[in-house]
Amino acid sequence: ETGVTQTPRHLVMGMTNKKSLKCEQHLGHNAMYWYKQSAKKPLELMFVYNFKEQTENNSVPSRFSPECPNSSHLFLHLHTLQPEDSALYLCASSQDLQTSYGYTFGSGTRLTVV
Amino acid sequence: QKEVEQDPGPLSVPEGAIVSLNCTYSNSAFQYFMWYRQYSRKGPELLMYTYSSGNKEDGRFTAQVDKSSKYISLFIRDSQPSDSATYLCAMSGNGQNFVFGPGTRLSVLP
């Protein structure tokens, strides 16, 4: 089992709904990330947190709102999404922002917006 | 031009074959390189991490970097059906904010 746990695994939501994705890591890592993975496209970095402070927001629409209450937990709050937001959302962590050991990814949340 | 390019495949090979997976990139500042394997319905898992040019070997896997050609490769020897997955390359100039390729889907046939 991966050291990064994401819930839920699958989510179907209407465009007017509000939902949240959860990520948890107990690896003692200081940096956490949200990525979007769409079919046949590269992983898109969305947000980066280091010691629970946001360090990067890659021009992500405001309908995606991250929250990092501590170094072990990361949330992605979703509201008024569009069908094109349907994708696999991956959480990852690394020891530090500059990593020599790569990222540890969760299994992702498969999001479908209807 | 995309920053990192990979042949999407699918690449189908018989069991036992040597597999070559490749990425090209345009940013000459990249010097940190990673290869990830992603099984269906799973997140990517790190296979290899290399710095600068040269080769690195780990079991059946060899990562090769040619910075002069802006080209990296992952070789899999004695490929197994369990190697069937999507392989992602990733690269960075400073060890942070890695840029990922779109992935190559590999199918190893028994």
Side-chain angles (χ1 to χ4, degrees), chain A residues 1 9-10 33 35 37 40-43 45 48 56 88 90 97-108, chain B residues 2 4 8 32 34 36 38 40-46 49 86 88 90 94-103:
Chain A
E1 183 61 66
R9 291 297 306 274
H10 301 274
Y33 311 80
Y35 282 90
Q37 187 175 35
K40 298 183 181 178
K41 292 175 70 175
L43 287 177
L45 179 63
V48 181
E56 190 106 10
L88 181 68
L90 290 162
L97 286 180
Q98 186 165 14
T99 173
S100 301
Y101 301 98
Y103 304 128
T104 302
F105 284 89
S107 293
Chain B
K2 294 177 184 175
V4 179
Y32 297 86
M34 299 194 288
Y36 282 84
Q38 185 174 18
S40 180
R41 300 187 187 86
K42 294 285 189 180
E45 58 177 323
L46 182 67
Y49 187 115
T86 297
L88 310 174
N94 61 1
Q96 301 183 34
N97 296 341
F98 279 77
V99 179
F100 283 80

Side-chain angles (χ1 to χ4, degrees), chain B residues 10-79:
Chain B
L11 176 63
S12 293
V13 300
E15 184 175 353
I18 297 175
V19 176
S20 172
L21 302 164
N22 310 299
C23 285
T24 58
Y25 60 95
S26 57
N27 189 341
S28 58
F30 288 154
Q31 52 183 347
Y32 297 86
F33 304 93
M34 299 194 288
W35 284 98
Y36 282 84
R37 176 177 62 198
Q38 185 174 18
Y39 291 117
S40 180
R41 300 187 187 86
K42 294 285 189 180
E45 58 177 323
L46 182 67
L47 282 177
M48 302 285 278
Y49 187 115
T50 55
Y51 171 73
S52 195
S53 287
N55 292 358
K56 182 176 181 179
E57 188 173 322
D58 185 0
R60 296 185 296 112
F61 299 91
T62 299
Q64 195 172 80
V65 174
D66 182 349
K67 288 183 65 182
S68 62
S69 302
K70 300 193 188 72
Y71 188 90
I72 67 170
S73 300
L74 179 71
F75 297 96
I76 307 174
R77 290 183 298 281
D78 187 26
S79 57

Side-chain angles (χ1 to χ4, degrees), chain A residues 38-92:
Chain A
S38 305
K40 298 183 181 178
K41 292 175 70 175
L43 287 177
E44 297 174 50
L45 179 63
M46 300 175 72
F47 302 104
V48 181
Y49 279 82
N50 189 39
F51 290 99
K52 74 177 186 178
E53 298 298 321
Q54 185 173 317
T55 61
E56 190 106 10
N57 175 342
N58 260 10
S59 303
V60 180
S62 59
R63 58 185 182 270
F64 295 90
S65 175
E67 179 189 1
C68 189
N70 53 61
S71 292
S72 299
H73 294 85
L74 187 63
F75 295 88
L76 188 62
H77 304 299
L78 315 172
H79 64 98
T80 59
L81 293 191
Q82 305 298 311
E84 61 263 29
D85 297 322
S86 299
L88 181 68
Y89 288 85
L90 290 162
C91 174

